[in-house]
Amino acid sequence: MAVNTGKLLRVNLSSCKVSTEPVPGSYAEDFIGGRAYGIRYLYEELAPGTDPLGEKNKLLLLTGPLAGTMAQGVSRWMVCTKSPLTGAFARSVCGADFGAWLKFTGYEIIIIEGKAEKPVYLHLTSEGCRILDARDIWGKDTKETQAWLNQNHGQNTRTACIGPAGENLVKYAAVVSDRRTAGRCGTGAVMGSKNLKAIAITAQRKMYLADPEAFDKLAREQVSIIRNNKGFQNHKEWGTTSTQDITNSIGIYPVRNFRYGQQTDYEKLSGKAYRKFRTGEIGCYSCPARCGKVHTVNSGLYAGAHSEGPEYESIWAFTGPIESNSIEASIAADQLCDDLGLDTISTGSSIGFAYELYEKGLLKKSDTDGLELVYGRHEPMIALINKIGRREGIGNLLAEGTMRAAASIGKGAEIAAIHVKGLELPAYEPRGAKSQGYNYATASIGASHCYGYAAQDVFGAPVPRPTDRFSEENADIVIFNQDGAAWKETGILCAFSGGWGWVPGLCGKMLAAARGIDVLADNDYLKKVGERMFNLERAFNVREGFDRKQDTLPRRMLTEPLHTRKAKGEGQIVSHQDDFLDKYYRLRGWTQAGIPTVDKLKALGLDFVLKDMTGKKQP
Ligand code: SF4
């Protein structure tokens, strides 16, 4: 059986050169695919100190060995690059069909280099890849852009594109496909900096599997397991549109820029309340969950607003930070962010930052273009989203992200900048879910909930063991979650599908049959790959100058007690961060400065990294 490693498409926009490369067999065995291919290539090819928005940064679009097959919930794709928001490794995951379409062409990776002289887009088919003039779509929103490309290249075309936010280099601009986004870390700004508006793929279905017969059997087995799984059925019914019922009830729904853990009258935002606005469902390629719940507003100020979403993170982003209970406004805001191509989490958080500074008098009406940023008022939030996407007025400052905006405002504004390494926090309060919080502090890309989701804290999941969500002793759990999430993003599995009962036992066998590499069927080997990926990402960041100093939660979590209103956890604070880091680094096999040790790197087969880690000192 021949090993199937996937192919790489390299496009240099400066020289207009397009080429195809095989992926080395050692990469497939050691890194499997997806996010691990992303960090492997980026580590190899990106010189330290590269300007994220400069011509020398590279933009990688990746899918995995399982994409485009009949297997369910595994056709995700992602963007990897160096983030303009954090200066660290960036990975941003997305759904819809684009990952499958990329795989149909035989490619698993596109590496985009250089910068086009004028706006262009790529059109990829089985015949090859062309660099085409994008002046007709530059300035259009993501919906209009995709409609234009479908009109010009046919309905069998799937696109990843940027909107005005990416063109305007908003530091948290997203890459959008259909109505899904690769939202985090500002990957859309990197795409905009290259004058690249879109990548359109026109393709016919085709599978690339080393052992199609074995794979077919495994995929059938997967379908029967998933169909009977309760977690799947619940996700199919609700998506994540009811997660706020849980997070509010246990006091970890961040409100008023992470000062409260529960929203007043949060029942008004319940999953059932959102259900009343539901008008449809959308899913990703070959996933029966169809968890993208479509919402439409029929009357009032936001009549006509229509969005695939908001899902949990976006529900929070447009309610909690400004303490608004308007479902209608959250739907309108979500639609607007998708159209402009903005990450909803960083957008909502940046707006929450502005509201707090307005309350404290650090931003005045004259600074906010006349907007009155008063809690509960959602009209200014909609105005701010438009301004951020177009970098107009106050939007130009907020488009830089909270870390840079706070530094530019000064006068103590830093306390309101709720980020890790420059990436704004998602919708889980660290003081009430401390393993989740410490994942934010130590994740390679900054504060990402997907990098090591602490289901133990949030849902009481007792795997690998139950946790006390207020304890700061759970370094082993944070590592377990991070390494587990890592290897699943080689496939690329959807984070939700990983919880539907098929992964232990079956997923590895599927990866082995897809690649033709037997060792991938071994679960312990997969865990090792997860650890290898995480360490390589850490080494990338260390090479960029990161160490222990940046592994910190925002000052607010370390100095201000949480207020939870009626929920448990009142007065909680993060008070043992140093002890946690000591233990976490020890378990990771890193120095107390947070640098992977020689022994650890050798044990993981990352010898090529050693030369970059030597000479890194203890703090
Ligand atoms: S569970 Fe939802 S997000 Fe995940 S693959 Fe299925 S439809 Fe897409």
Side-chain angles (χ1 to χ4, degrees):
M1 181 170 54
V3 171
N4 165 30
T5 63
K7 272 191 310 179
L8 185 160
L9 175 71
R10 192 178 293 275
V11 180
N12 189 303
L13 295 173
S14 300
S15 63
C16 297
K17 201 172 154 218
V18 175
S19 58
T20 296
E21 298 168 21
V23 176
S26 61
Y27 280 26
E29 181 156 343
D30 295 347
F31 294 93
I32 306 176
R35 178 172 135 199
Y37 274 8
I39 184 59
R40 184 66 185 88
Y41 275 98
L42 213 57
Y43 196 93
E44 189 73 32
E45 298 193 5
L46 206 69
T50 300
D51 174 4
L53 296 180
E55 194 171 338
K56 293 199 171 141
N57 196 8
K58 301 198 181 194
L59 187 75
L60 280 66
L61 286 85
L62 305 118
T63 193
L66 307 180
T69 66
M70 62 294 240
Q72 300 190 340
V74 293
S75 288
R76 306 278 287 180
W77 63 280
M78 66 172 62
V79 187
C80 291
T81 187
K82 181 175 173 183
S83 166
L85 200 54
T86 66
F89 171 67
R91 86 88 177 79
S92 193
V93 189
C94 193
D97 289 345
F98 186 81
W101 254 245
L102 175 57
K103 191 63 180 287
F104 295 156
T105 65
Y107 292 106
E108 286 187 22
I109 316 169
I110 305 176
I111 298 184
I112 297 158
E113 307 171 334
K115 177 180 181 177
E117 265 177 29
K118 51 188 183 224
V120 295
Y121 71 97
L122 304 183
H123 185 223
L124 176 62
T125 66
S126 52
E127 260 88 71
C129 178
R130 292 185 299 157
I131 303 172
L132 299 171
D133 193 331
R135 278 174 296 185
D136 285 349
I137 40 175
W138 198 256
K140 286 190 189 295
D141 72 28
T142 62
K143 212 180 326 162
E144 295 162 340
T145 299
Q146 293 180 80
W148 188 94
L149 289 162
N150 277 357
Q151 204 172 9
N152 281 270
H153 297 295
Q155 290 307 313
N156 206 20
T157 299
R158 300 293 184 274
T159 296
C161 69
I162 55 170
E167 295 173 15
N168 292 324
L169 309 184
V170 174
K171 292 244 165 41
Y172 43 90
V175 179
V176 178
S177 185
D178 196 354
R179 300 302 283 170
R180 301 258 173 172
T181 58
R184 308 242 62 197
C185 302
T187 54
V190 177
M191 194 156 150
S193 75
K194 298 191 170 302
N195 272 330
L196 179 63
K197 179 68 177 173
I199 298 119
I201 302 176
T202 309
Q204 301 300 323
R205 282 173 173 71
K206 188 170 176 187
M207 283 190 277
Y208 297 85
L209 295 164
D211 187 345
E213 220 170 286
F215 193 90
D216 186 61
K217 266 195 216 141
L218 294 164
R220 285 172 200 278
E221 216 180 306
Q222 185 211 25
V223 171
S224 68
I225 294 171
I226 287 180
R227 197 187 295 135
N228 298 314
N229 180 279
K230 279 209 178 98
F232 164 74
Q233 285 155 0
N234 186 56
H235 193 66
K236 184 172 166 52
E237 176 62 27
W238 294 101
T240 60
T241 61
S242 60
T243 306
Q244 66 278 12
D245 298 358
I246 296 166
T247 50
N248 267 302
S249 71
I250 65 171
I252 61 166
Y253 190 77
V255 174
R256 296 195 182 213
N257 204 24
F258 289 81
R259 286 182 285 172
Y260 298 86
Q262 189 184 68
Q263 180 122 335
T264 308
D265 295 332
Y266 68 85
E267 296 80 5
K268 290 185 179 158
L269 294 174
S270 68
K272 284 189 180 147
Y274 271 90
R275 188 79 171 77
K276 292 185 185 141
F277 291 83
R278 195 187 294 177
T279 52
E281 295 177 336
I282 301 182
C284 306
Y285 184 83
S286 190
C287 180
R290 296 174 65 77
C291 76
K293 307 304 178 194
V294 180
H295 299 100
T296 306
V297 181
N298 288 320
S299 59
L301 187 58
Y302 301 108
H306 176 78
S307 185
E308 188 262 282
E311 42 60 68
Y312 171 63
E313 289 294 334
S314 308
I315 287 172
W316 164 77
F318 304 123
T319 58
I322 64 162
E323 195 152 22
S324 152
N325 281 339
S326 169
I327 290 180
E328 293 91 332
S330 74
I331 294 169
D334 190 53
Q335 176 184 6
L336 194 50
C337 281
D338 288 352
D339 288 348
L340 291 166
L342 281 168
D343 173 30
T344 55
I345 296 173
S346 285
T347 302
S349 198
S350 298
I351 290 171
F353 162 82
Y355 270 60
E356 182 179 340
L357 295 190
Y358 190 85
E359 180 193 45
K360 290 180 166 164
L362 291 177
L363 284 179
K364 304 210 180 322
K365 213 167 154 183
S366 53
D367 300 313
T368 60
D369 310 321
L371 295 170
E372 293 181 52
L373 308 185
V374 176
Y375 287 113
R377 288 199 199 161
H378 40 78
E379 296 93 333
M381 169 180 76
I382 300 291
L384 285 176
I385 294 172
N386 267 310
K387 285 174 180 292
I388 291 169
R390 301 183 193 285
R391 277 193 179 268
E392 287 168 2
I394 179 78
N396 191 38
L397 177 71
L398 299 178
E400 289 295 297
T402 56
M403 179 175 75
R404 288 177 181 79
S408 139
I409 294 165
K411 300 179 210 154
E414 289 82 0
I415 191 74
I418 308 298
H419 66 88
V420 171
K421 300 182 177 75
L423 186 68
E424 284 74 20
L425 262 64
Y428 301 88
E429 165 55 55
R431 285 162 292 187
K434 287 180 181 159
S435 297
Q436 183 83 334
Y438 280 130
N439 166 57
Y440 296 163
T442 53
S444 319
I445 64 170
S448 160
H449 58 297
C450 296
Y451 237 73
Y453 191 98
Q456 301 87 353
D457 281 5
V458 182
F459 300 114
V463 180
R465 62 174 175 80
T467 59
D468 166 2
R469 66 186 168 96
F470 302 118
S471 165
E472 297 182 48
E473 302 271 325
N474 297 323
D476 61 317
I477 294 291
V478 175
I479 292 170
F480 174 87
N481 292 338
Q482 289 174 336
D483 290 352
W487 76 256
K488 286 174 197 144
E489 289 192 354
T490 63
I492 299 173
L493 275 63
C494 170
F496 302 117
S497 107
W500 297 340
W502 66 282
V503 169
L506 203 56
C507 183
K509 288 182 195 160
M510 287 170 112
L511 289 167
R515 282 279 185 246
I517 300 174
D518 290 345
V519 71
L520 305 188
D522 177 349
N523 279 330
D524 289 336
Y525 182 80
L526 295 177
K527 282 185 205 154
K528 193 87 175 168
V529 172
E531 190 185 3
R532 182 178 293 138
M533 294 162 65
F534 201 86
N535 274 266
L536 188 53
E537 291 170 2
R538 181 70 180 191
F540 179 94
N541 288 349
V542 168
R543 201 173 60 169
E544 295 290 344
F546 287 81
D547 62 17
R548 182 181 182 121
K549 287 190 287 303
Q550 290 82 20
D551 289 346
T552 179
L553 282 163
R555 186 150 56 90
R556 169 154 291 158
M557 280 81 209
L558 308 177
T559 57
E560 293 180 12
L562 174 67
H563 300 296
T564 51
R565 294 185 168 135
K566 292 179 194 153
K568 201 174 157 193
E570 177 68 23
Q572 281 289 328
I573 199 163
V574 173
S575 50
H576 298 292
Q577 182 171 272
D578 267 329
D579 295 341
F580 175 88
L581 289 178
D582 288 351
K583 186 171 171 191
Y584 176 89
Y585 293 158
R586 216 169 34 247
L587 292 176
R588 277 255 175 239
W590 298 352
T591 71
Q592 287 301 302
I595 317 293
T597 56
V598 171
D599 287 351
K600 176 53 72 177
L601 292 170
K602 282 189 170 169
L604 292 171
L606 297 174
D607 300 58
F608 60 94
V609 167
L610 289 172
K611 64 182 186 326
D612 302 319
M613 298 299 108
T614 46
K616 300 281 177 193
K617 294 197 183 93
Q618 298 282 329

